[in-house]
Amino acid sequence: MSLSTSIKPPVFPKVLHLLFWMVVTLIFIYDRRYLILKFQIPEHFVACVVIRMGLLISLVYVHLNVLVPRFFKSGKFLTYGLLLLLALLLYVSLQNLYDIYLYGYVIGDVRSRSFWGAFSYNFFTTLWYLALTAGLKFGLDRYVEKSKVDDSRLGADSTSVEVPEKSVLLKTGTKQVMTDLDTITHVKGLKDYSIIYTTADQIIVKGSLKSAEGLLGEKKLIRVHKSYLVALDRIKTIQGNQIILENHSIPIGRSYKQELYRLLIPSN
């Protein structure tokens, strides 16, 4: 058995998650920079960004790691919507109150600087942030899952198992049994099941005798009875209407006798 070891490992998920939070942070800082410069209050840039960043990351984390997996993915859409609305209202309220604490007014729409006047603007911009971060996160998760699937396929494709040329994998119950075709002596059909006899074992497989015959097509088996197949190279003795194998006696059906003798005694 030879196994290929040149399988490329998947991208480490934690690296992608770190990249995700970095992107979220950079987008947020850029947006805050734009607003602060627009309002011409650069002296409070650091204080504004640090607190707002903490609030936003907390909101995004709760949304992606609590609300989405526990409620949205489980189909509890009403609960998810209500809790998301509550989280948004809490975030915007804290953000507006902090702006009032720092500047005496709310940073948002230039025309609306009061707590309630800027509320709708900050609410919908925050909702946009949540949609953006959710899209990024789900995209990265899908990429990680696809990488795992691709790597598993690559592993399956690059793993070569050297199977003997005259072997077949037989399913019996919950097991898969590799069987050398040359060891098969005969097959007995039992309606919906077949018993494959080898020199050392008996393997019960699901399916009719015809199915077993197709499964063992590489092996030269001949039908000698409506319920039996016999390996031609295992026939040593025939007594009357019986084929004698080492530990078994196989009946010969009347309609199969002529074909059996034709194969055993070919005409010159």
Side-chain angles (χ1 to χ4, degrees):
M1 181 182 294
S2 63
L3 301 177
S4 174
T5 58
S6 60
I7 301 176
K8 184 180 178 181
V11 178
F12 196 52
K14 290 185 178 179
V15 175
L16 289 179
H17 291 160
L18 177 62
L19 177 63
F20 163 73
W21 289 111
M22 289 175 62
V23 169
V24 171
T25 303
L26 289 173
I27 292 174
F28 178 81
I29 291 176
Y30 180 82
D31 183 71
R32 291 304 97 191
R33 176 181 174 275
Y34 167 75
L35 288 176
I36 289 173
L37 292 177
K38 183 175 68 173
F39 277 79
Q40 297 181 351
I41 46 174
E43 65 274 9
H44 293 301
F45 176 76
V46 175
C48 178
V49 165
V50 169
I51 298 300
R52 280 175 174 249
M53 187 185 301
L55 289 173
L56 182 65
I57 289 179
S58 298
L59 175 65
V60 171
Y61 181 87
V62 169
H63 178 237
L64 294 178
N65 295 279
V66 179
L67 300 185
V68 171
R70 293 189 183 181
F71 302 104
F72 185 83
K73 288 186 177 180
S74 60
K76 301 175 182 177
F77 301 119
L78 180 59
T79 305
Y80 164 78
L82 291 174
L83 291 176
L84 177 59
L85 178 61
L86 181 62
L88 282 167
L89 292 174
L90 178 61
Y91 167 80
V92 175
S93 297
L94 291 174
Q95 174 185 281
N96 288 2
L97 289 172
Y98 184 67
D99 284 351
I100 292 173
Y101 169 76
L102 274 183
Y103 310 115
Y105 54 86
V106 177
I107 296 177
D109 186 359
V110 176
R111 294 169 298 178
S112 305
R113 300 192 179 191
S114 65
F115 182 90
W116 293 112
F119 201 93
S120 60
Y121 174 85
N122 286 333
F123 179 89
F124 286 109
T125 54
T126 304
L127 188 61
W128 177 84
Y129 271 117
L130 283 183
L132 176 64
T133 54
L136 286 171
K137 179 66 163 56
F138 297 151
L140 289 173
D141 288 346
R142 190 170 181 180
Y143 172 76
V144 171
E145 290 302 319
K146 186 176 182 302
S147 297
K148 291 179 181 178
V149 171
D150 289 346
D151 286 335
S152 64
R153 288 177 180 172
L154 179 62
D157 293 340
S158 60
T159 301
S160 59
V161 180
E162 294 178 359
V163 180
E165 292 183 2
K166 293 186 178 181
S167 293
V168 64
L169 196 62
L170 299 175
K171 183 178 181 181
T172 173
T174 58
K175 297 187 300 182
Q176 300 277 351
V177 181
M178 186 64 71
T179 305
D180 187 347
L181 290 171
D182 285 340
T183 65
I184 296 174
T185 59
H186 63 289
V187 182
K188 181 177 181 180
L190 296 171
K191 194 175 181 180
D192 296 328
Y193 291 87
S194 298
I195 303 175
I196 298 174
Y197 291 83
T198 69
T199 53
D201 202 0
Q202 298 178 18
I203 304 167
I204 300 175
V205 298
K206 192 172 182 180
S208 65
L209 194 63
K210 185 168 180 151
S211 299
E213 190 174 10
L215 184 64
L216 305 173
E218 298 272 341
K219 177 70 175 175
K220 187 63 176 178
L221 295 165
I222 181 170
R223 181 78 67 102
V224 298
H225 187 273
K226 65 179 182 179
S227 300
Y228 286 94
L229 297 170
V230 174
L232 202 60
D233 58 358
R234 291 284 174 176
I235 299 176
K236 304 299 181 184
T237 305
I238 296 178
Q239 293 181 357
N241 290 326
Q242 301 285 325
I243 295 173
I244 309 301
L245 301 178
E246 186 175 351
N247 296 313
H248 298 276
S249 178
I250 311 298
I252 303 173
R254 183 179 301 175
S255 60
Y256 301 98
K257 181 179 287 189
Q258 184 177 353
E259 178 65 15
L260 171 63
Y261 278 101
R262 187 187 70 81
L263 292 171
L264 291 174
I265 311 173
S267 59
N268 294 326

